Amino acid sequence: MNDLSHLRLDFPVLQRRVHGKPLVFLDSAASSQKPKQVLDVMDAAYRTYYANVHRGAYLLSEESTAAYEQARGKVARFINAARAEIAFTRGATTALNTVAFGWGMDHLRAGDRIVLTMMEHHANVVPWQLVARRTGAELVYVPMTDDYRLDLKRLSELLDERVKVVSFTGMSNVTGTMPPVAEIAGLARQCGSLVVVDAAQLVTHAPVDVQQLGADFVAFSGHKMLGPTGIGALWGRPEVLEEMEPFEGGGEMISDVRLDGSTWAPVPHKFEAGTPPIIEAIGLGAAVDYLDKIGMESVRRHEMELTAYALSRLAELPAVRVFGPAEVDHRGGVISFALADVHPHDVATILDQDGIAIRAGHHCAKPLTRTLGVPATARASFQVYTTREDVDALVDGLRRVQEVFRVD
Ligand code: PMP
């Protein structure tokens, strides 16, 4: 077994108690906890060399700029990209908006199609809806199969010359489904479409190599990958980044500003308007160092083993219905489920009394939860620090929920 349980000691919050019980944190898909290696780097940056970047001709600013740009290099290497291909953003949401507006407003018109899937997070739906409304382009959604995979046959049928963008999740934050990204990207590119991957979940659950994915853009957030909030990244194919207009204007992103117009700073700086989240970027660099040290292959192996274990333990409870693929080859460690007809919020509230934190709701993917035929699901999600003992605590907790609600 690929045991990573020793990592738990790196996460201060995992040592605390909740309602008198040891914390069992199973909501990492919403946001992950942070290791002290990340907290220490951020603390040291604030204490010893903090200053604004790319501005001052003094030592602190030079050090701050060097650390910020070094973090960009780390994030780039993490997904096998070049440094200039990474624009720091506020998170996956801003990265996806940057593409939808920055690229979409100039390239989409009436008669064009934007292909999304039924599994998307609102962050990969609403920006495209806003742009579709302004450009007259049409939205089309690829359905799921009965076993919660993406219907690739339907996708192939949809792809024609009208399709200008295919934007899809690399891993669903509800069902855990991991669609075959490279295969989908290949199909989409054959018909000349732009390919956008929402990797908000994927990037922290499996190795990502942008050279192999075949996408034009990949978006992700720092806070789900052991880094701080307020920072994320947009990777883009260099020629597409070069050609795309900035989404936001302001300081830092210009080459020159005159009264009648402006020119842009080189890529990626033209996508980073205003003072960036400096310490957050440095913190993300430290998170990437931490994940690199474990190795993303090892992270994926740990998660596959843990997910297989969790699925088999949950199968002991006949009242539990899991919404997601049964085979761990096609999924990551995010498990949505229903417990008979007990409302997911009741499940979460009772588990909380035992110190177990899960998520209940629509998980910002309302079209998907609607397809599942439920208003909400309960969701347990894993990270590198999640253990079999956490899963056992969840199953014991669910038995208690069954007792409270007299579920057979
Ligand atoms: N896409 C997916 C698949 C997600 O899980 C999330 C976060 N729940 C997002 C996009 C949005 O990420 P953020 O809120 O960090 O911008």
Side-chain angles (χ1 to χ4, degrees):
M1 207 193 121
N2 191 33
D3 186 11
L4 300 181
S5 54
H6 58 283
L7 300 177
R8 291 178 70 82
L9 292 174
D10 291 335
F11 293 79
V13 78
L14 296 181
Q15 320 310 320
R16 75 166 277 188
R17 296 175 78 82
V18 172
H19 305 308
K21 311 267 173 50
L23 171 65
V24 176
F25 189 76
L26 292 170
D27 193 21
S28 294
S31 201
S32 67
Q33 298 298 347
K34 324 300 174 198
K36 58 179 187 281
Q37 287 82 344
V38 168
L39 305 176
D40 290 350
V41 163
M42 294 175 73
D43 187 57
Y46 271 127
R47 283 175 191 277
T48 57
Y49 62 84
Y50 175 75
N52 210 333
V53 292
H54 302 139
R55 286 189 190 165
Y58 55 91
L59 187 65
L60 259 60
S61 179
E62 282 166 17
E63 288 180 0
S64 209
T65 304
Y68 178 74
E69 290 301 328
Q70 216 174 40
R72 192 194 305 278
K74 290 177 183 182
V75 173
R77 271 196 304 283
F78 187 63
I79 57 169
N80 197 19
R83 212 169 59 82
E85 297 162 7
I86 295 289
F88 280 128
T89 64
R90 195 165 54 79
T93 301
T94 311
L96 290 165
N97 275 276
T98 300
V99 177
F101 283 90
W103 186 89
M105 290 301 286
D106 285 334
H107 292 86
L108 295 171
R109 55 186 65 85
D112 291 343
R113 284 184 148 187
I114 301 164
V115 173
L116 308 176
T117 85
M118 289 304 295
M119 287 182 205
E120 299 313 311
H121 186 280
H122 297 162
N124 196 30
V125 175
V126 183
W128 295 112
Q129 289 177 336
L130 290 169
V131 169
R133 205 185 291 165
R134 285 166 171 80
T135 59
E138 183 193 0
L139 293 160
V140 190
Y141 295 89
V142 183
M144 273 186 317
T145 60
D146 290 342
D147 55 352
Y148 306 97
R149 313 250 306 262
L150 207 57
D151 189 339
L152 296 182
K153 188 162 165 289
R154 187 73 194 110
L155 171 68
S156 304
E157 290 162 5
L158 279 172
L159 290 174
D160 60 25
E161 71 292 344
R162 288 172 296 178
V163 175
K164 298 293 187 290
V165 187
V166 177
S167 188
F168 62 103
T169 186
M171 174 176 158
S172 163
N173 65 313
V174 179
T175 59
T177 309
M178 289 174 153
V181 176
E183 187 183 340
I184 296 169
L187 290 172
R189 287 172 75 85
Q190 265 171 27
C191 76
S193 170
L194 190 87
V195 179
V196 185
V197 177
D198 170 3
Q201 297 293 341
L202 180 66
V203 81
T204 186
H205 293 277
V208 170
D209 178 340
V210 292
Q211 309 304 327
Q212 285 175 8
L213 286 192
D216 294 290
F217 290 107
V218 175
F220 51 98
S221 295
H223 69 95
K224 294 182 199 283
M225 51 191 288
L226 315 183
T229 53
I231 187 76
L234 174 65
W235 170 82
R237 204 179 276 284
E239 59 275 20
V240 192
L241 284 179
E242 206 58 59
E243 192 261 346
M244 183 168 78
E245 284 286 296
F247 166 49
E248 284 187 320
E252 303 261 353
M253 51 75 71
I254 52 88
S255 166
D256 192 15
V257 177
R258 295 172 183 276
L259 293 182
D260 58 352
S262 304
T263 51
W264 314 138
V267 168
H269 304 288
K270 77 171 177 184
F271 299 109
E272 295 180 5
T275 298
I278 301 162
I279 301 300
E280 288 75 8
I282 294 168
L284 176 55
V288 163
D289 282 343
Y290 188 86
L291 286 170
D292 270 339
K293 206 162 152 215
I294 305 166
M296 287 308 295
E297 296 286 353
S298 176
V299 170
R300 174 73 180 131
R301 226 169 30 248
H302 163 255
E303 197 165 300
M304 284 171 85
E305 286 171 6
L306 197 61
T307 305
Y309 179 69
L311 291 174
S312 74
R313 292 275 355 243
L314 287 170
E316 291 170 18
L317 306 175
V320 167
R321 178 176 161 215
V322 171
F323 303 105
E327 309 86 25
V328 290
D329 290 349
H330 303 294
R331 64 166 304 143
V334 173
I335 304 181
S336 279
F337 61 93
L339 179 60
D341 57 358
V342 181
H343 197 285
H345 285 121
D346 290 332
V347 175
T349 304
I350 292 172
L351 291 177
D352 177 55
Q353 289 164 5
D354 287 339
I356 304 166
I358 64 155
R359 179 85 178 258
H362 53 68
H363 316 298
C364 299
K366 278 194 155 196
L368 173 53
T369 38
R370 220 168 268 134
T371 310
L372 300 177
V374 289
T377 74
R379 183 187 74 183
S381 53
F382 307 155
Q383 247 300 351
V384 291
Y385 42 74
T386 313
T387 60
R388 285 181 176 228
E389 288 69 33
D390 292 332
V391 173
D392 293 340
L394 172 69
V395 174
D396 291 347
L398 291 174
R399 286 191 206 281
R400 273 187 294 280
V401 178
Q402 290 192 341
E403 281 161 24
V404 173
F405 282 89
R406 300 184 198 290
V407 174
D408 297 328

